Amino acid sequence: MAPQAIIILILTTLMVVGAVVFQQIDPVLAEQSFYEVIFFEFITISTIGYGNQYPITRQSRIFSIIFALMGIPLLVVTLGNFGKYLTKFYWKAYGSIFRKKVERQLVNDKDIPLIIIIGLYGLTFLVGFFTIPQSGKAYSVDDTYFSFISFATVGFGDKVPQIDTFYRFGKVMSYLVWGTILNIILINYLTNCFNDLINRTPQIRGTKMEVMIGDQFITVSEITSLVAQQFHASPHQVRSILHDIDKIMEDMQNNENTMEIEEKS
C-alpha cells in the first residue's frame, strides 16, 4: 500500500474513532448527528474553529487536545500531498495541451504559476458564492467573506456553514478541503519565492574557513580578494562567480544522487 494511502487510512480511522469517543464523553456532541461530529473534528484539526461547536466536559476537552495533536499533522501531510499531486497534474496537462516536453524534474519541483493559483481562488470563491450555504445573507459579500475566513483558518464564528443535511455536509467539507489544499499550494509558492530571493544573494559557504597554502593559513575570503586583484575584478564579481560554480556543483551532485536512486529502483 502506498504511503499516502496509509496516511489517509490512519486519518480516516482517527476521525471515525474520535467521533465515537466524542459522542460518548460529551453530551452536547452526543445529541448531534455523526457527520456533524465529523465536521467538528475537521474544523478542529484544520484549525478553522468557527466556535459554534466545542467540547463542554473536562474529558472531551482533554480528548480534544490529544485528537488535535494527532490529527493536525496527519491532515497537513495528507492535504500537502494532494497539493503536490495537483501541481504535477498541472504541469503534465500543460505539456499535453501545448504539446511541449516538460522535464521530469520540472514536474516534480516547479510550482503552479501564481496567476493560475489566483485564478483557482477566483473560481473557488465563485463556486462558494452560489453553492455553499452559510449563516449570513446569501448571494452577498457574506459568501466571499465566509470563504476567506474559512480558507485563511481565521474562522471568526460570525459566519458559519450550514450542515443541517448530509448533502450540505458533503458540499461544505469538499469545499473546505479544496480551499485548504489551495492554501498549501499558495504557501509553498510564496515560500519558494522567498527562498529563491535569499539564494540569489551571492554568498559562498565557508568564506571564513581557513585553508593552508604553503606554510600559512588563509581564509577563503582573503583568497577571493587576492584573485580579484590578480584579474582586476571586484571581490563581489569573484564571489558571484564562485557562487555560480558552487550552485552548479550542488546541482550536479543532486543529479548524481537522483540517478543513483533511479538505478536502484
Side-chain angles (χ1 to χ4, degrees):
M1 185 179 293
Q4 176 63 23
I6 295 175
I7 295 174
I8 293 175
L9 179 61
I10 295 173
L11 179 61
T12 303
T13 303
L14 176 67
M15 295 192 71
V16 171
V17 173
V20 173
V21 174
F22 273 121
Q23 288 193 315
Q24 293 295 320
I25 63 178
D26 193 294
V28 173
L29 294 176
E31 294 177 355
Q32 298 181 10
S33 63
F34 192 76
Y35 66 81
E36 286 178 313
V37 180
I38 291 289
F39 186 76
F40 157 72
E41 292 178 322
F42 175 78
I43 294 306
T44 299
I45 61 178
S46 64
T47 69
I48 296 175
Y50 292 114
N52 60 327
Q53 291 174 291
Y54 49 86
I56 64 169
T57 66
R58 183 174 62 179
Q59 293 88 343
S60 60
R61 287 169 180 167
I62 293 174
F63 184 70
S64 295
I65 296 173
I66 299 172
F67 181 82
L69 288 174
M70 297 174 63
I72 290 174
L74 283 173
L75 185 68
V76 169
V77 171
T78 299
L79 299 186
N81 286 337
F82 277 120
K84 292 178 181 178
Y85 296 149
L86 179 61
T87 301
K88 291 181 180 180
F89 173 79
Y90 168 81
W91 285 112
K92 289 180 179 179
Y94 175 86
S96 299
I97 294 172
F98 294 99
R99 300 183 181 278
K100 292 184 178 181
K101 183 179 180 181
V102 181
E103 296 181 3
R104 182 177 179 182
Q105 185 175 359
L106 177 66
V107 172
N108 292 333
D109 299 336
K110 193 170 179 62
D111 295 311
I112 295 177
L114 181 60
I115 187 66
I116 300 297
I117 298 175
I118 294 174
L120 289 174
Y121 267 109
L123 288 174
T124 302
F125 277 29
L126 187 63
V127 170
F129 185 89
F130 289 105
T131 63
I132 302 301
Q134 46 85 25
S135 59
K137 184 179 179 181
Y139 308 115
S140 70
V141 70
D142 286 353
D143 292 300
T144 303
Y145 171 75
F146 164 76
S147 295
F148 177 80
I149 63 172
S150 298
F151 294 169
T153 68
V154 176
F156 290 123
D158 54 338
K159 300 293 181 289
V160 298
Q162 303 296 302
I163 55 167
D164 49 337
T165 65
F166 185 76
Y167 173 68
R168 286 187 167 187
F169 159 77
K171 285 201 304 183
V172 172
M173 276 287 290
S174 300
Y175 186 68
L176 295 180
V177 167
W178 169 251
T180 306
I181 292 173
L182 276 183
N183 277 354
I184 292 173
I185 292 174
L186 178 61
I187 291 171
N188 286 339
Y189 176 88
L190 295 176
T191 300
N192 290 333
C193 284
F194 284 126
N195 288 336
D196 290 342
L197 183 63
I198 293 172
N199 291 334
R200 284 176 185 173
T201 303
Q203 294 178 343
I204 307 300
R205 289 173 291 183
T207 53
K208 295 183 179 180
M209 184 180 65
E210 291 185 336
V211 294
M212 188 172 185
I213 299 180
D215 58 351
Q216 62 179 340
F217 287 95
I218 186 171
T219 65
V220 174
S221 179
E222 290 171 335
I223 294 175
T224 301
S225 298
L226 291 174
V227 172
Q229 293 175 9
Q230 178 68 28
F231 292 95
H232 305 288
S234 68
H236 175 78
Q237 289 175 316
V238 176
R239 285 195 295 269
S240 180
I241 293 171
L242 292 177
H243 176 268
D244 292 339
I245 295 174
D246 187 54
K247 185 67 171 62
I248 292 171
M249 296 296 292
E250 183 180 354
D251 291 341
M252 291 176 62
Q253 183 63 45
N254 291 336
N255 290 335
E256 290 177 0
N257 293 337
T258 302
M259 291 177 62
E260 290 178 0
I261 293 173
E262 290 178 351
E263 289 176 357
K264 291 180 180 179
S265 60

PDB file of all heavy atoms in Angstrom, residues 12-25 29 34 37-38 40-41 63 67:
ATOM      1  N   THR A  12      -8.545   8.684   8.485  1.00  0.00           N
ATOM      2  CA  THR A  12      -9.961   8.304   8.467  1.00  0.00           C
ATOM      3  C   THR A  12     -10.333   7.524   9.723  1.00  0.00           C
ATOM      4  O   THR A  12     -11.371   7.777  10.351  1.00  0.00           O
ATOM      5  CB  THR A  12     -10.267   7.457   7.218  1.00  0.00           C
ATOM      6  OG1 THR A  12      -9.911   8.196   6.041  1.00  0.00           O
ATOM      7  CG2 THR A  12     -11.740   7.097   7.162  1.00  0.00           C
ATOM      8  N   THR A  13      -9.471   6.585  10.089  1.00  0.00           N
ATOM      9  CA  THR A  13      -9.717   5.793  11.304  1.00  0.00           C
ATOM     10  C   THR A  13      -9.747   6.684  12.537  1.00  0.00           C
ATOM     11  O   THR A  13     -10.609   6.535  13.415  1.00  0.00           O
ATOM     12  CB  THR A  13      -8.630   4.716  11.463  1.00  0.00           C
ATOM     13  OG1 THR A  13      -8.596   3.890  10.294  1.00  0.00           O
ATOM     14  CG2 THR A  13      -8.896   3.856  12.691  1.00  0.00           C
ATOM     15  N   LEU A  14      -8.814   7.622  12.593  1.00  0.00           N
ATOM     16  CA  LEU A  14      -8.757   8.546  13.729  1.00  0.00           C
ATOM     17  C   LEU A  14     -10.048   9.349  13.847  1.00  0.00           C
ATOM     18  O   LEU A  14     -10.590   9.515  14.950  1.00  0.00           O
ATOM     19  CB  LEU A  14      -7.563   9.485  13.570  1.00  0.00           C
ATOM     20  CG  LEU A  14      -7.425  10.589  14.634  1.00  0.00           C
ATOM     21  CD1 LEU A  14      -7.105   9.977  15.995  1.00  0.00           C
ATOM     22  CD2 LEU A  14      -6.342  11.590  14.232  1.00  0.00           C
ATOM     23  N   MET A  15     -10.563   9.824  12.717  1.00  0.00           N
ATOM     24  CA  MET A  15     -11.763  10.655  12.758  1.00  0.00           C
ATOM     25  C   MET A  15     -13.002   9.837  13.113  1.00  0.00           C
ATOM     26  O   MET A  15     -13.872  10.305  13.866  1.00  0.00           O
ATOM     27  CB  MET A  15     -11.947  11.371  11.417  1.00  0.00           C
ATOM     28  CG  MET A  15     -10.842  12.371  11.115  1.00  0.00           C
ATOM     29  SD  MET A  15     -11.185  13.468   9.728  1.00  0.00           S
ATOM     30  CE  MET A  15     -12.460  14.518  10.408  1.00  0.00           C
ATOM     31  N   VAL A  16     -13.093   8.628  12.598  1.00  0.00           N
ATOM     32  CA  VAL A  16     -14.252   7.786  12.910  1.00  0.00           C
ATOM     33  C   VAL A  16     -14.237   7.385  14.384  1.00  0.00           C
ATOM     34  O   VAL A  16     -15.241   7.522  15.101  1.00  0.00           O
ATOM     35  CB  VAL A  16     -14.272   6.537  12.009  1.00  0.00           C
ATOM     36  CG1 VAL A  16     -15.350   5.556  12.477  1.00  0.00           C
ATOM     37  CG2 VAL A  16     -14.515   6.931  10.556  1.00  0.00           C
ATOM     38  N   VAL A  17     -13.089   6.901  14.837  1.00  0.00           N
ATOM     39  CA  VAL A  17     -12.970   6.515  16.249  1.00  0.00           C
ATOM     40  C   VAL A  17     -13.147   7.734  17.148  1.00  0.00           C
ATOM     41  O   VAL A  17     -13.822   7.676  18.190  1.00  0.00           O
ATOM     42  CB  VAL A  17     -11.606   5.843  16.510  1.00  0.00           C
ATOM     43  CG1 VAL A  17     -11.408   5.591  18.005  1.00  0.00           C
ATOM     44  CG2 VAL A  17     -11.495   4.539  15.730  1.00  0.00           C
ATOM     45  N   GLY A  18     -12.558   8.855  16.735  1.00  0.00           N
ATOM     46  CA  GLY A  18     -12.689  10.079  17.519  1.00  0.00           C
ATOM     47  C   GLY A  18     -14.127  10.528  17.653  1.00  0.00           C
ATOM     48  O   GLY A  18     -14.557  10.971  18.729  1.00  0.00           O
ATOM     49  N   ALA A  19     -14.895  10.417  16.567  1.00  0.00           N
ATOM     50  CA  ALA A  19     -16.304  10.819  16.611  1.00  0.00           C
ATOM     51  C   ALA A  19     -17.088   9.953  17.592  1.00  0.00           C
ATOM     52  O   ALA A  19     -17.942  10.452  18.345  1.00  0.00           O
ATOM     53  CB  ALA A  19     -16.911  10.729  15.214  1.00  0.00           C
ATOM     54  N   VAL A  20     -16.793   8.668  17.595  1.00  0.00           N
ATOM     55  CA  VAL A  20     -17.465   7.759  18.535  1.00  0.00           C
ATOM     56  C   VAL A  20     -17.133   8.140  19.972  1.00  0.00           C
ATOM     57  O   VAL A  20     -18.018   8.212  20.842  1.00  0.00           O
ATOM     58  CB  VAL A  20     -17.057   6.297  18.250  1.00  0.00           C
ATOM     59  CG1 VAL A  20     -17.612   5.372  19.334  1.00  0.00           C
ATOM     60  CG2 VAL A  20     -17.540   5.864  16.877  1.00  0.00           C
ATOM     61  N   VAL A  21     -15.857   8.418  20.220  1.00  0.00           N
ATOM     62  CA  VAL A  21     -15.424   8.776  21.575  1.00  0.00           C
ATOM     63  C   VAL A  21     -16.057  10.097  22.006  1.00  0.00           C
ATOM     64  O   VAL A  21     -16.564  10.222  23.134  1.00  0.00           O
ATOM     65  CB  VAL A  21     -13.886   8.868  21.647  1.00  0.00           C
ATOM     66  CG1 VAL A  21     -13.445   9.391  23.017  1.00  0.00           C
ATOM     67  CG2 VAL A  21     -13.262   7.506  21.376  1.00  0.00           C
ATOM     68  N   PHE A  22     -16.046  11.087  21.123  1.00  0.00           N
ATOM     69  CA  PHE A  22     -16.629  12.389  21.463  1.00  0.00           C
ATOM     70  C   PHE A  22     -18.101  12.252  21.844  1.00  0.00           C
ATOM     71  O   PHE A  22     -18.577  12.891  22.790  1.00  0.00           O
ATOM     72  CB  PHE A  22     -16.481  13.363  20.292  1.00  0.00           C
ATOM     73  CG  PHE A  22     -15.184  14.115  20.279  1.00  0.00           C
ATOM     74  CD1 PHE A  22     -14.326  14.025  19.190  1.00  0.00           C
ATOM     75  CD2 PHE A  22     -14.812  14.922  21.348  1.00  0.00           C
ATOM     76  CE1 PHE A  22     -13.125  14.721  19.167  1.00  0.00           C
ATOM     77  CE2 PHE A  22     -13.611  15.624  21.337  1.00  0.00           C
ATOM     78  CZ  PHE A  22     -12.760  15.524  20.244  1.00  0.00           C
ATOM     79  N   GLN A  23     -18.825  11.432  21.111  1.00  0.00           N
ATOM     80  CA  GLN A  23     -20.249  11.276  21.410  1.00  0.00           C
ATOM     81  C   GLN A  23     -20.487  10.501  22.701  1.00  0.00           C
ATOM     82  O   GLN A  23     -21.562  10.600  23.288  1.00  0.00           O
ATOM     83  CB  GLN A  23     -20.952  10.580  20.242  1.00  0.00           C
ATOM     84  CG  GLN A  23     -21.086  11.473  19.012  1.00  0.00           C
ATOM     85  CD  GLN A  23     -22.044  10.923  17.986  1.00  0.00           C
ATOM     86  OE1 GLN A  23     -22.010   9.737  17.665  1.00  0.00           O
ATOM     87  NE2 GLN A  23     -22.899  11.775  17.445  1.00  0.00           N
ATOM     88  N   GLN A  24     -19.476   9.773  23.149  1.00  0.00           N
ATOM     89  CA  GLN A  24     -19.604   9.036  24.401  1.00  0.00           C
ATOM     90  C   GLN A  24     -19.288   9.904  25.618  1.00  0.00           C
ATOM     91  O   GLN A  24     -19.842   9.681  26.700  1.00  0.00           O
ATOM     92  CB  GLN A  24     -18.666   7.814  24.391  1.00  0.00           C
ATOM     93  CG  GLN A  24     -19.035   6.744  23.385  1.00  0.00           C
ATOM     94  CD  GLN A  24     -20.372   6.100  23.694  1.00  0.00           C
ATOM     95  OE1 GLN A  24     -20.705   5.843  24.855  1.00  0.00           O
ATOM     96  NE2 GLN A  24     -21.160   5.845  22.653  1.00  0.00           N
ATOM     97  N   ILE A  25     -18.421  10.889  25.446  1.00  0.00           N
ATOM     98  CA  ILE A  25     -17.949  11.650  26.612  1.00  0.00           C
ATOM     99  C   ILE A  25     -18.447  13.090  26.641  1.00  0.00           C
ATOM    100  O   ILE A  25     -18.172  13.806  27.601  1.00  0.00           O
ATOM    101  CB  ILE A  25     -16.400  11.654  26.668  1.00  0.00           C
ATOM    102  CG1 ILE A  25     -15.810  12.348  25.437  1.00  0.00           C
ATOM    103  CG2 ILE A  25     -15.862  10.240  26.800  1.00  0.00           C
ATOM    104  CD1 ILE A  25     -14.291  12.435  25.446  1.00  0.00           C
ATOM    105  N   LEU A  29     -22.239  16.987  22.003  1.00  0.00           N
ATOM    106  CA  LEU A  29     -21.865  16.318  20.756  1.00  0.00           C
ATOM    107  C   LEU A  29     -22.650  15.022  20.573  1.00  0.00           C
ATOM    108  O   LEU A  29     -22.887  14.588  19.443  1.00  0.00           O
ATOM    109  CB  LEU A  29     -20.363  16.036  20.737  1.00  0.00           C
ATOM    110  CG  LEU A  29     -19.456  17.272  20.695  1.00  0.00           C
ATOM    111  CD1 LEU A  29     -17.985  16.872  20.786  1.00  0.00           C
ATOM    112  CD2 LEU A  29     -19.698  18.085  19.424  1.00  0.00           C
ATOM    113  N   PHE A  34     -23.791  12.002  13.502  1.00  0.00           N
ATOM    114  CA  PHE A  34     -22.413  11.525  13.385  1.00  0.00           C
ATOM    115  C   PHE A  34     -21.615  12.395  12.425  1.00  0.00           C
ATOM    116  O   PHE A  34     -20.456  12.727  12.691  1.00  0.00           O
ATOM    117  CB  PHE A  34     -22.411  10.064  12.908  1.00  0.00           C
ATOM    118  CG  PHE A  34     -21.075   9.393  13.038  1.00  0.00           C
ATOM    119  CD1 PHE A  34     -20.610   8.968  14.269  1.00  0.00           C
ATOM    120  CD2 PHE A  34     -20.278   9.191  11.920  1.00  0.00           C
ATOM    121  CE1 PHE A  34     -19.372   8.347  14.394  1.00  0.00           C
ATOM    122  CE2 PHE A  34     -19.043   8.577  12.030  1.00  0.00           C
ATOM    123  CZ  PHE A  34     -18.593   8.152  13.269  1.00  0.00           C
ATOM    124  N   VAL A  37     -20.448  15.621  13.980  1.00  0.00           N
ATOM    125  CA  VAL A  37     -19.272  15.450  14.838  1.00  0.00           C
ATOM    126  C   VAL A  37     -18.016  15.315  13.981  1.00  0.00           C
ATOM    127  O   VAL A  37     -16.952  15.845  14.330  1.00  0.00           O
ATOM    128  CB  VAL A  37     -19.446  14.224  15.760  1.00  0.00           C
ATOM    129  CG1 VAL A  37     -18.215  14.048  16.651  1.00  0.00           C
ATOM    130  CG2 VAL A  37     -20.693  14.374  16.625  1.00  0.00           C
ATOM    131  N   ILE A  38     -18.134  14.620  12.853  1.00  0.00           N
ATOM    132  CA  ILE A  38     -17.007  14.529  11.920  1.00  0.00           C
ATOM    133  C   ILE A  38     -16.609  15.922  11.451  1.00  0.00           C
ATOM    134  O   ILE A  38     -15.417  16.249  11.360  1.00  0.00           O
ATOM    135  CB  ILE A  38     -17.369  13.652  10.699  1.00  0.00           C
ATOM    136  CG1 ILE A  38     -17.523  12.182  11.111  1.00  0.00           C
ATOM    137  CG2 ILE A  38     -16.310  13.788   9.598  1.00  0.00           C
ATOM    138  CD1 ILE A  38     -16.236  11.490  11.473  1.00  0.00           C
ATOM    139  N   PHE A  40     -17.083  18.715  13.090  1.00  0.00           N
ATOM    140  CA  PHE A  40     -16.437  19.353  14.241  1.00  0.00           C
ATOM    141  C   PHE A  40     -14.966  18.943  14.326  1.00  0.00           C
ATOM    142  O   PHE A  40     -14.080  19.774  14.586  1.00  0.00           O
ATOM    143  CB  PHE A  40     -17.174  18.968  15.525  1.00  0.00           C
ATOM    144  CG  PHE A  40     -16.348  19.092  16.772  1.00  0.00           C
ATOM    145  CD1 PHE A  40     -16.018  20.334  17.293  1.00  0.00           C
ATOM    146  CD2 PHE A  40     -15.881  17.952  17.421  1.00  0.00           C
ATOM    147  CE1 PHE A  40     -15.243  20.449  18.443  1.00  0.00           C
ATOM    148  CE2 PHE A  40     -15.107  18.058  18.568  1.00  0.00           C
ATOM    149  CZ  PHE A  40     -14.787  19.308  19.078  1.00  0.00           C
ATOM    150  N   GLU A  41     -14.695  17.670  14.076  1.00  0.00           N
ATOM    151  CA  GLU A  41     -13.311  17.190  14.117  1.00  0.00           C
ATOM    152  C   GLU A  41     -12.473  17.835  13.017  1.00  0.00           C
ATOM    153  O   GLU A  41     -11.329  18.249  13.251  1.00  0.00           O
ATOM    154  CB  GLU A  41     -13.282  15.668  13.960  1.00  0.00           C
ATOM    155  CG  GLU A  41     -13.863  14.921  15.144  1.00  0.00           C
ATOM    156  CD  GLU A  41     -13.851  13.425  14.920  1.00  0.00           C
ATOM    157  OE1 GLU A  41     -14.098  12.984  13.770  1.00  0.00           O
ATOM    158  OE2 GLU A  41     -13.592  12.685  15.886  1.00  0.00           O
ATOM    159  N   PHE A  63      -9.564  15.114  25.575  1.00  0.00           N
ATOM    160  CA  PHE A  63      -9.506  14.293  24.365  1.00  0.00           C
ATOM    161  C   PHE A  63      -9.322  15.167  23.122  1.00  0.00           C
ATOM    162  O   PHE A  63      -8.664  14.753  22.159  1.00  0.00           O
ATOM    163  CB  PHE A  63     -10.777  13.454  24.229  1.00  0.00           C
ATOM    164  CG  PHE A  63     -10.756  12.513  23.060  1.00  0.00           C
ATOM    165  CD1 PHE A  63      -9.917  11.408  23.047  1.00  0.00           C
ATOM    166  CD2 PHE A  63     -11.561  12.748  21.952  1.00  0.00           C
ATOM    167  CE1 PHE A  63      -9.881  10.548  21.962  1.00  0.00           C
ATOM    168  CE2 PHE A  63     -11.539  11.894  20.867  1.00  0.00           C
ATOM    169  CZ  PHE A  63     -10.696  10.789  20.870  1.00  0.00           C
ATOM    170  N   PHE A  67      -6.598  14.576  20.368  1.00  0.00           N
ATOM    171  CA  PHE A  67      -7.067  14.403  18.990  1.00  0.00           C
ATOM    172  C   PHE A  67      -6.406  15.410  18.047  1.00  0.00           C
ATOM    173  O   PHE A  67      -5.978  15.062  16.942  1.00  0.00           O
ATOM    174  CB  PHE A  67      -8.587  14.561  18.947  1.00  0.00           C
ATOM    175  CG  PHE A  67      -9.177  14.386  17.582  1.00  0.00           C
ATOM    176  CD1 PHE A  67      -9.435  13.122  17.082  1.00  0.00           C
ATOM    177  CD2 PHE A  67      -9.476  15.488  16.786  1.00  0.00           C
ATOM    178  CE1 PHE A  67      -9.977  12.955  15.811  1.00  0.00           C
ATOM    179  CE2 PHE A  67     -10.011  15.331  15.524  1.00  0.00           C
ATOM    180  CZ  PHE A  67     -10.263  14.061  15.035  1.00  0.00           C
TER     181      PHE A  67
END
